[in-house]
Amino acid sequence: MMLAGELALARVDVAVVERRVDQDLPGARAGGLHSRTIEVLDQRGIADRFLAEGQVAQVQGFAQRRLDISDFPSRHPYGLGLWQNHIERILAGWVDELPVTILRGTEVTGFAQDDTGVDVELSDGRSLRAQYLVGCDGGRSVVRKAAGIDFPGWDPSTSSLIAEVEVAEEPELGTRRDEKGLHAFGRLEYEIRDGEVVFKDSGPLRVMVTEARPGSRSEPTLRDLSEALVAVYGTDYGIHSPTWISRFTDMTRQAASYREGRVLLAGDAAHVHSPAGGQGLNTGVQDAVNLGWKLAQVVKGTSPESLLDTYHAERHPVAARVLRNTMAQTALMRPTDPRLEALLETVSELLGMEEPRKRFGAMLSALDIHYDLGDGHPLLGRRVPDLDLVTADGPLRVFTLLHDARPVLIDLGEPGGLDIAPWADRVEKIDAAYDGAWELPVLGEVPAPAAVLIRPDGHVAWVGDGTDEGLADALTTWFGPPAATQRAAA
Ligand SMILES: Cc1cc2nc3c(=O)[nH]c(=O)nc-3n(C[C@H](O)[C@H](O)[C@H](O)COP(=O)(O)OP(=O)(O)OC[C@H]3O[C@@H](n4cnc5c(N)ncnc54)[C@H](O)[C@@H]3O)c2cc1C
């Protein structure tokens, strides 16, 4: 949905093929959004819709060690507790406002690609012709398999049942870690007070319980859940009336390539891992924001197809890092054992120190992502901070400039000093002033730039030092050749 929204903003004809018949999601799944995801939603002007329905809190954690990021230089130095079904509903509301075709109750069964496009086969016997196909179809992605893209990684070492149920006997709410693994009871409805989760007094329960063995492939039943609870708690608390029973594991895999010709992958289709640290949905949303504008430019012919290769180059390492940190967290959260406890305490102690807290907090919130755009100013390849600029028309937030998902050049030097006329049809230019500090997570204050060229995903593509050196190259690399060259080529 995020990708569909991004493509529609760039005025690309886009269709979503969705197996589900409606927006309802059985089960809550992911528990919320991290700081950088809230920022990218803010870049599109829709963060408030999510903030209005969720609960802001310091949710960042590594192996259950809370990492406070409230001192980070971001307008959103926190996470947002909001169940995935609400996240999807709000996102769908935004997509509904854009020109996006959604074919619900329809499954992609395969595809065939040639030099000019992709024929997408649908379950109702029809086929769709598209210039590009992006598999956002989850961990078991049909698109990834049909594209023949390898999905190397590691089989599960642990497996948990997760469910939403009613009980006859009230269990103690909270997390429990023992020789069998990590388990938890909570209520779907909760409030965050003084940074602590306070569950409502009544209502359906959300239960998570580690299974004795990983590897079961059958659909989990109420009986499986009951047996797993008895094995851990000695009782199943009289569970009944489940609205959702599911299983998750720490299977860890990543697509070897995010692109095969005209077929690309994003989200869980490209990477799966344990939910530790709650990074899956967040990584997928950010994949979409990296890919959307690039794909739009290639479809419209403003950029060569090679721009799409930067999607893999930039996003594959980000998810590889998520895979590594979730594997490390799973190892630390294994069933209790005195030596592992000692290791966990040692890691906790380290994470309590300033520098590790900042580094891990920035990694897990994705605020530290640095795409490799070469050497230069520390802003290059990093997310632009959402500063309060002063312009001839009044105050202006940097993120407001990104609402339409268009690139923007902010000229902080002498007005009119930089000329980007040959890209004026694609890149917005703003003369502005900013007197405050330029501060980045972990790095702290960095030298104030004279100008910044910002990609639609909010990452800095060029930093000016008072001259225009390198600007034309950066504009061509990221937003296509100058207009005169394009007209000549056409
Ligand atoms: C217990 C649990 C807790 C989690 N907690 C968090 C968390 O706190 N934070 C976080 O960021 N992530 C979390 N995650 C991970 C998160 O749920 C996933 O990463 C996220 O849903 C992935 O989104 P996606 O759009 O890539 O794939 P999916 O959500 O799997 O969506 C894929 C969509 O494609 C459709 N589809 C599939 N195949 C086809 C087909 N052939 N044709 C048409 N449609 C198809 C499906 O119906 C579905 O709507 C958690 C996951 C679990 C299981």
Side-chain angles (χ1 to χ4, degrees):
M1 276 192 294
M2 192 73 209
L3 181 61
E6 293 289 290
L7 290 167
L9 279 181
R11 299 192 169 74
V12 163
D13 186 11
V14 55
V16 176
V17 183
E18 170 55 63
R19 180 162 63 194
R20 281 147 58 188
V21 288
D22 57 33
Q23 195 49 56
D24 287 351
L25 192 65
R29 293 184 74 181
L33 300 175
H34 288 323
S35 175
R36 179 58 188 152
T37 310
I38 303 171
E39 283 195 349
V40 302
L41 296 168
D42 205 358
Q43 288 174 184
R44 298 298 175 258
I46 55 172
D48 288 346
R49 302 181 189 196
F50 296 85
L51 292 169
E53 293 203 33
Q55 314 223 23
V56 161
Q58 290 304 321
V59 298
Q60 221 65 77
F62 185 85
Q64 301 219 311
R65 172 85 170 69
R66 193 80 61 87
L67 298 164
D68 192 316
I69 61 165
S70 54
D71 59 343
F72 276 31
S74 163
R75 217 173 277 271
H76 305 288
Y78 42 68
L80 183 73
L82 183 64
W83 295 116
Q84 182 166 343
N85 49 348
H86 298 302
I87 296 172
E88 291 199 14
R89 172 177 49 76
I90 299 168
L91 207 48
W94 173 62
V95 172
D96 275 349
E97 295 162 14
L98 297 165
V100 174
T101 303
I102 306 190
L103 303 174
R104 290 194 194 279
T106 313
E107 214 168 310
V108 170
T109 52
F111 68 83
Q113 62 170 317
D114 55 44
D115 288 347
T116 57
V118 190
D119 286 313
V120 184
E121 294 152 24
L122 306 182
S123 48
D124 58 12
R126 285 182 301 159
S127 83
L128 287 177
R129 177 75 178 170
Q131 285 187 54
Y132 287 88
L133 169 67
V134 187
C136 302
D137 50 346
R140 295 180 181 148
S141 172
V142 165
V143 173
R144 185 189 66 235
K145 289 175 191 157
I149 296 174
D150 274 354
F151 202 40
W154 295 269
D155 286 335
S157 69
T158 166
S159 168
S160 303
L161 295 177
I162 186 158
E164 288 163 21
V165 291
E166 307 266 352
V167 284
E169 221 182 293
E170 196 63 21
E172 194 183 326
L173 302 185
T175 303
R176 164 165 166 179
R177 202 168 144 259
D178 60 22
E179 70 287 351
K180 294 193 170 69
L182 187 68
H183 329 284
F185 273 103
R187 246 182 249 291
L188 270 175
E189 300 226 15
Y190 65 89
E191 265 179 52
I192 295 179
R193 283 188 224 139
D194 299 330
E196 295 304 320
V197 173
V198 181
F199 295 112
K200 288 271 156 73
D201 291 338
S202 59
L205 289 175
R206 181 166 149 125
V207 49
M208 178 188 87
V209 57
T210 304
E211 292 187 285
R213 277 173 304 279
S216 176
R217 287 177 175 270
S218 61
E219 276 300 307
T221 61
L222 191 60
R223 185 164 171 182
D224 295 332
L225 183 63
S226 162
E227 285 174 5
L229 285 171
V230 170
V232 170
Y233 291 90
T235 168
D236 70 359
Y237 299 99
I239 46 160
H240 62 91
S241 313
T243 49
W244 178 57
I245 306 179
S246 188
R247 171 179 284 121
F248 71 87
T249 73
D250 65 337
M251 181 166 71
T252 306
R253 294 184 178 276
Q254 187 174 21
S257 170
Y258 280 19
R259 176 180 172 215
E260 179 60 47
R262 292 178 166 272
V263 178
L264 296 117
L265 301 174
D268 275 19
H271 38 74
V272 294
H273 48 79
S274 123
Q279 301 165 85
L281 179 148
N282 287 273
T283 309
V285 168
Q286 292 170 45
D287 286 345
V289 174
N290 183 285
L291 176 58
W293 63 276
K294 295 175 180 173
L295 186 53
Q297 287 180 190
V298 172
V299 166
K300 291 198 279 191
T302 26
S303 290
E305 244 196 329
S306 55
L307 183 65
L308 294 178
D309 292 329
T310 67
Y311 169 59
H312 173 101
E314 293 179 350
R315 295 303 299 174
H316 192 278
V318 169
R321 196 173 65 151
V322 172
L323 262 57
R324 196 185 63 161
N325 85 51
T326 50
M327 282 174 82
Q329 292 188 68
T330 323
L332 285 168
M333 299 314 294
R334 287 226 162 104
T336 47
D337 144 326
R339 287 177 179 78
L340 204 55
E341 280 306 311
L343 178 60
L344 195 54
E345 278 168 26
T346 308
V347 170
S348 273
E349 211 174 296
L350 283 169
L351 290 176
M353 297 174 187
E354 253 331 68
E355 187 69 13
R357 171 189 69 86
K358 283 189 179 164
R359 281 181 185 260
F360 275 66
M363 173 178 72
L364 291 155
S365 61
L367 284 171
D368 68 344
I369 289 174
H370 180 206
Y371 299 140
D372 183 6
L373 306 194
D375 295 337
H377 192 283
L379 279 166
L380 190 64
R382 291 195 163 87
R383 81 192 224 305
V384 69
D386 184 21
L387 306 175
D388 289 304
L389 303 174
V390 178
T391 72
D393 297 328
L396 182 66
R397 281 174 52 189
V398 170
F399 282 8
T400 305
L401 289 167
L402 295 170
H403 282 185
D404 295 333
R406 278 165 55 85
V408 54
L409 175 70
I410 305 177
D411 190 348
L412 298 147
E414 285 298 306
L418 297 171
D419 177 17
I420 60 161
W423 287 273
D425 58 335
R426 279 159 273 163
V427 182
E428 189 177 355
K429 182 171 169 297
I430 291 282
D431 291 321
Y434 175 70
D435 286 339
W438 286 73
E439 236 191 307
L440 291 176
V442 185
L443 296 186
E445 194 168 337
V446 300
V452 278
L453 177 63
I454 308 165
R455 313 189 316 188
D457 60 1
H459 282 258
V460 175
W462 175 83
V463 182
D465 60 2
T467 71
D468 64 359
E469 198 190 326
L471 177 58
D473 282 349
L475 285 162
T476 305
T477 301
W478 296 110
F479 312 119
T485 321
Q486 276 198 338
R487 272 197 298 276

